[in-house]
Amino acid sequence: MRHLLAKSLGVTCLSAALAFSAGIPGATTGKVQLKSAGALAFGNDGVLFIGDSLGGSVVAVDTRDTKASAKASSIDIKGINEKAAALLGTTPDQILINDVKVNPISKNVYLSVSRGKGPDAIPVILRVDAAGKLSEFSLDSVPFTSASLADAPASEAGGRGGDPRNDAITEIAFVNGNVLIAGLSNQEFASDLRSIPFPFKGEIAGAGIKMYHGSHGRYETQSPIRTFVSYTIGNHQYILAAYTCTPLVKIPVSELKPGAKVEGTTIAELGAGNRPLDLIAYKKDNHDFLLLANSNRGVMKLDAANLEQYQPILAHTEATGVPYTTLAELKGVKHLTSLDDAHALMLFDNGDLRAMPLP
Amino acid sequence: MLVFLGSASGAANISIQLDGGEFRVTGWTATAEPSEGWTSVFSVYAGAGNVQPMLGTYKVLDHVLTFHPRFPITAGVHYHAVFQASGTPVEASFDGPPIPTNALTRVERIYPSTNILPSNALRFYIYFSAPMSRGEAWPHIHLIDADTNRPVEIPFLELDQELWDQNNQRLTVLFDPGRIKRGLVPTNTIGPAIVEGKNYKLIIDREWHDARGVNLVEGFEKPFRGGPSDRAIPDPAKWRLTPPKAGTADPLIIKFPKSMDYVLLQRMIGIFDTRGEISGKIVVDRNETEWRFTPQEAWKPGSYRITADNTLEDISGNHLDRPFDVDIFETVTKHIVSNTTSIPFVVH
């Protein structure tokens, strides 16, 4: 009988040629066979992590896009969905922009896109330069490695039916040499955060991490992390994670180990009836802030000074903890990501992609 | 410069054809590629307005310049090709195949099948008769309080990464776990999505597009009533077995005291004899309270066992060894770690 719980994290190198890659030691060069392109994150040296939910893997690609640029703050593209559709030879209603991230070195913008919406949709990575020109970032011949998140291979004895479980990857981040992956299954309930050391190597079994809210009677939270950002508080590395309806939870990165039961601390409640979309951290005038885009509660600017001082929220409460203001001028933000020291990049629900001054 | 590119026998004779998925310039003899690339003389655009040319590659075969689009010619796309080596540009327009308009796809069924759902029900599975489009689910799924005819406020975990199966024919719709679990904030501020004793309708809009971009044949409505919450583990000791008779291919029947998760029932219960797992066909019936296994070959007399993964869930997400919202710090050390539960039976 196959062990349905057992998950294997395997490293696959799909092509033969060993290539020198500054960002990915031991990478091979070849064609990356993505089944889907979803959550994106940048590591060091221009390495782009691509979450492939349908393929059940995270792929690390050396973009070799490492020419430093201080600024890309002038990006202002109207209807990037229409422009991407035209580039890809389809109609705007057949384009899904799944994620937007900025290469922190070159400031080029990377978009994960589905061309088409059906099961035969083609995953594409697009790049936008500082001049606003779109191009395809071809995955036909690039140095890459990948880590498989899929179930142990299905050996369906007994003719048992059912399709394999699929894990949707909701967010990826590169923190302290590890790739953190938040995900959710389309079958048995499993919402977890995994931490995979990078460069990917060897077989890593059972790296799933269970997450618990510290508050409210210490119940295990099954609620999946919607978005998170890495953040240093004092001398300790944390991730700040936002959940539906909208607790903000700090989780110590040092405790994220395979099989660990990690207790998070709720430091803010940002209101019910809301889905957090994207979270970034930034510094302005020597002061720390967080910026959180939401489905129903606009874009919130949180004062991130002295996050260690907030006591765990233990009582049931409406909205409390870290103070914030809602920025009335920012409406319809679907994706939010860091661009440079003074700007965030925002994708709006009308398809506009725009560099906005950090508030 | 342009004279090096090729020669035309007269602009009037230059034309652009779309043939076999490629755009071809005829009536002009291509020679060397210009320093700015072939795109500087020949580009194909999809869509209106100020857009970049389509991605693709160029080739010259027998002095004929051809543009091969990176992606196939697509239904509903209007293509505009422009060639200008010198003089007056030559332009041509083409349309991709027409977008289909005939509605064919339906909601086939929704699980759980029961029309009384525990107030902590964890998910729906929506099965469609054909592949669907991604990225459109949430505006087209509604939970309505049938007593007031008002929508329930964000009852579901609206993931942008919609939880489809591989073929986009089954969507998993999770109730927001934060609203289900005791003690977490959303339950206390906006309450559980389903309340015991109230009536509801799960409504699927007809305007949801299938993978061809066409609406469903019709909308779908699943009425149900809120039942009591269920925080009990589905205890295999309470499953009722009807063992088959030797020499027959009659089904082995397992009856559960409550509805189990339809999808997990397809793959989380196996039948083993002393040699290993045996092949057969699974049917799930009676509001997912009955599991029937018909073997490929007739039953032989002897000892068998049913093996169920402990991650098999009831419709509230309770596992065989753990309720959905266990206080894990209290109980995790108490239970015996085992991945499966075995139930022996004998065929006579």
Side-chain angles (χ1 to χ4, degrees):
Chain A
M1 169 147 199
R2 78 190 178 102
H3 293 280
L4 293 152
L5 261 184
K7 294 200 134 207
S8 69
L9 285 165
V11 175
T12 49
C13 298
L14 297 175
S15 66
L18 204 65
F20 173 75
S21 162
I24 314 176
T28 52
T29 293
K31 186 177 169 76
V32 182
Q33 306 276 3
L34 289 181
K35 286 190 177 164
S36 62
L40 299 178
F42 270 95
N44 299 329
D45 302 318
V47 173
L48 176 66
F49 298 101
I50 306 167
D52 179 1
S53 293
L54 291 180
S57 66
V58 172
V59 180
V61 176
D62 186 350
T63 62
R64 294 179 165 163
D65 178 16
T66 52
K67 192 174 169 198
S69 170
K71 280 194 142 189
S73 54
S74 59
I75 290 174
D76 185 358
I77 301 174
K78 276 209 160 329
I80 192 158
N81 54 336
E82 291 167 10
K83 291 188 163 54
L87 191 71
L88 302 176
T90 189
T91 49
D93 66 340
Q94 288 301 310
I95 289 286
L96 291 173
I97 297 177
N98 299 314
D99 203 3
V100 180
K101 286 282 152 58
V102 177
N103 181 335
I105 301 171
S106 68
K107 307 300 182 200
N108 286 326
V109 179
Y110 286 70
L111 308 172
S112 56
V113 174
S114 301
R115 184 194 184 274
K117 292 175 166 180
D120 55 355
I122 301 167
V124 181
I125 304 294
L126 294 182
R127 180 156 70 186
V128 185
D129 66 18
K133 185 167 183 285
L134 273 73
S135 57
E136 182 184 15
F137 175 71
S138 172
L139 298 172
D140 283 350
S141 180
V142 284
F144 75 100
T145 56
S146 69
S148 169
L149 310 175
D151 281 355
S155 57
E156 294 290 8
R160 273 190 259 163
D163 49 0
R165 166 180 149 164
N166 230 1
D167 275 335
I169 296 167
T170 54
E171 185 88 84
I172 304 178
F174 182 71
V175 183
N176 282 4
N178 294 293
V179 183
L180 300 186
I181 304 155
L184 197 69
S185 152
N186 73 338
Q187 295 192 15
E188 69 269 31
F189 195 88
S191 85
D192 54 20
L193 182 70
R194 297 144 187 264
S195 173
I196 307 177
F198 184 79
F200 303 136
K201 52 175 176 275
E203 289 284 321
I204 312 155
I209 294 159
K210 289 264 180 200
M211 190 68 62
Y212 305 93
H213 281 309
S215 60
H216 305 125
R218 301 190 303 178
Y219 288 116
E220 173 186 3
T221 180
Q222 302 273 26
S223 204
I225 292 175
R226 304 304 296 263
T227 181
F228 64 91
V229 67
S230 72
Y231 200 78
T232 307
I233 305 173
N235 292 323
H236 300 286
Q237 189 76 45
Y238 288 86
I239 64 166
L240 299 175
Y243 294 79
T244 305
C245 283
T246 313
L248 184 69
V249 176
K250 66 173 186 183
I251 296 154
V253 169
S254 61
E255 292 183 23
L256 296 178
K257 297 196 173 102
K261 296 175 182 63
V262 182
E263 196 173 345
T265 307
T266 304
I267 56 171
E269 291 291 355
L270 303 173
N274 183 43
R275 292 184 292 133
L277 302 174
D278 270 319
L279 177 64
I280 62 168
Y282 66 97
K283 209 180 254 299
K284 186 175 183 180
D285 301 330
N286 222 19
H287 198 97
D288 290 308
F289 297 100
L290 301 168
L291 205 58
L292 177 66
N294 294 288
S295 64
N296 291 352
R297 287 180 177 253
V299 176
M300 294 173 179
K301 177 186 178 183
L302 290 85
D303 184 342
N306 309 316
L307 283 186
E308 68 277 11
Q309 79 182 14
Y310 295 97
Q311 295 303 307
I313 296 169
L314 297 168
H316 304 141
T317 173
E318 180 61 33
T320 185
V322 182
Y324 69 90
T325 51
T326 302
L327 305 172
E329 67 275 22
L330 290 175
K331 291 199 190 315
V333 176
K334 279 186 73 179
H335 285 283
L336 164 69
T337 192
S338 299
L339 179 56
D340 59 27
D341 289 344
H343 296 83
L345 186 70
M346 300 185 194
L347 177 65
F348 293 83
D349 55 8
N350 62 1
D352 292 355
L353 182 73
R354 208 173 299 148
M356 303 291 287
L358 285 165
Chain B
M1 176 80 196
L2 291 175
V3 294
F4 297 108
L5 302 175
S7 59
S9 52
N13 294 330
I14 299 175
S15 66
I16 302 168
Q17 273 101 40
L18 171 59
D19 184 20
E22 294 183 327
F23 296 85
R24 197 165 299 147
V25 179
T26 56
W28 181 76
T29 307
T31 53
E33 183 171 359
S35 53
E36 303 88 352
W38 286 119
T39 189
S40 62
V41 292
F42 184 36
S43 283
V44 182
Y45 301 86
N50 175 26
V51 295
Q52 293 177 217
M54 264 196 322
L55 293 172
T57 49
Y58 292 86
K59 65 179 179 192
V60 175
L61 197 64
D62 296 334
H63 299 291
V64 175
L65 177 61
T66 303
F67 174 71
H68 180 76
R70 164 86 168 78
F71 299 99
I73 298 299
T74 298
V77 177
H78 181 74
Y79 300 92
H80 183 63
V82 181
F83 172 80
Q84 187 175 24
S86 60
T88 314
V90 177
E91 302 187 29
S93 289
F94 306 92
D95 285 308
I99 298 173
T101 53
N102 54 330
L104 296 171
T105 307
R106 300 171 180 274
V107 175
E108 276 190 331
R109 54 213 156 104
I110 292 180
Y111 294 98
S113 321
T114 173
N115 51 19
I116 299 177
L117 281 188
S119 61
N120 62 339
L122 181 57
R123 61 170 84 75
F124 288 114
Y125 296 111
I126 305 172
Y127 279 81
F128 296 89
S129 61
M132 294 292 288
S133 277
R134 267 179 187 272
E136 303 183 4
W138 303 119
H140 296 307
I141 306 175
H142 314 279
L143 184 65
I144 305 292
D145 178 335
D147 298 327
T148 61
N149 217 23
R150 293 166 65 127
V152 176
E153 194 188 353
I154 41 174
F156 304 121
L157 189 68
E158 295 186 7
L159 289 174
D160 291 337
Q161 303 82 356
E162 298 166 357
L163 298 172
W164 290 97
D165 66 351
Q166 295 280 344
N167 202 32
N168 281 21
Q169 277 188 252
R170 184 196 71 214
L171 180 70
T172 305
V173 177
L174 287 163
F175 282 96
D176 192 317
R179 293 188 67 167
I180 295 168
K181 293 175 62 60
R182 293 171 296 180
L184 286 178
V185 162
T187 307
N188 289 281
T189 52
I190 54 173
I194 304 173
V195 175
E196 185 179 355
K198 295 191 73 151
N199 295 297
Y200 297 90
K201 284 185 287 192
L202 178 69
I203 292 179
I204 309 299
D205 293 336
R206 192 177 75 90
E207 290 71 24
W208 197 344
H209 292 134
D210 67 11
R212 304 173 308 137
V214 183
N215 288 354
L216 298 176
V217 173
E218 57 192 357
F220 193 90
E221 204 173 295
K222 177 188 167 63
F224 66 93
R225 190 172 173 81
S229 66
D230 178 4
R231 300 179 195 280
I233 59 169
D235 184 359
K238 293 181 180 157
W239 295 357
R240 281 198 297 129
L241 262 58
T242 309
K245 286 195 167 56
T248 72
D250 291 346
L252 164 76
I253 302 171
I254 307 175
K255 288 195 161 127
F256 313 112
K258 60 177 167 179
S259 298
M260 303 295 287
D261 184 279
Y262 175 79
V263 169
L264 301 182
L265 282 176
Q266 310 296 321
R267 64 173 180 84
M268 287 202 170
I269 301 180
I271 307 298
F272 291 73
D273 62 16
T274 47
R275 293 183 305 272
E277 184 160 7
I278 60 174
S279 298
K281 193 165 173 280
I282 292 165
V283 173
V284 172
D285 205 353
R286 295 176 190 271
N287 290 342
E288 300 86 73
T289 62
E290 187 172 305
W291 186 92
R292 293 198 299 267
F293 178 84
T294 305
Q296 223 159 50
E297 295 168 14
W299 297 98
K300 296 181 181 73
S303 298
Y304 293 82
R305 65 189 156 85
I306 298 161
T307 301
D309 281 287
N310 286 345
T311 44
L312 176 61
E313 298 173 7
D314 63 24
I315 59 176
S316 297
N318 301 305
H319 291 188
L320 298 191
D321 60 351
R322 175 173 74 75
F324 183 70
D325 59 357
V326 64
D327 180 347
I328 199 97
F329 290 92
E330 301 300 330
T331 62
V332 76
T333 54
K334 288 180 192 164
H335 63 240
I336 298 154
V337 176
S338 167
N339 288 334
T340 59
T341 296
S342 266
I343 306 168
F345 68 98
V346 178
V347 172
H348 296 288

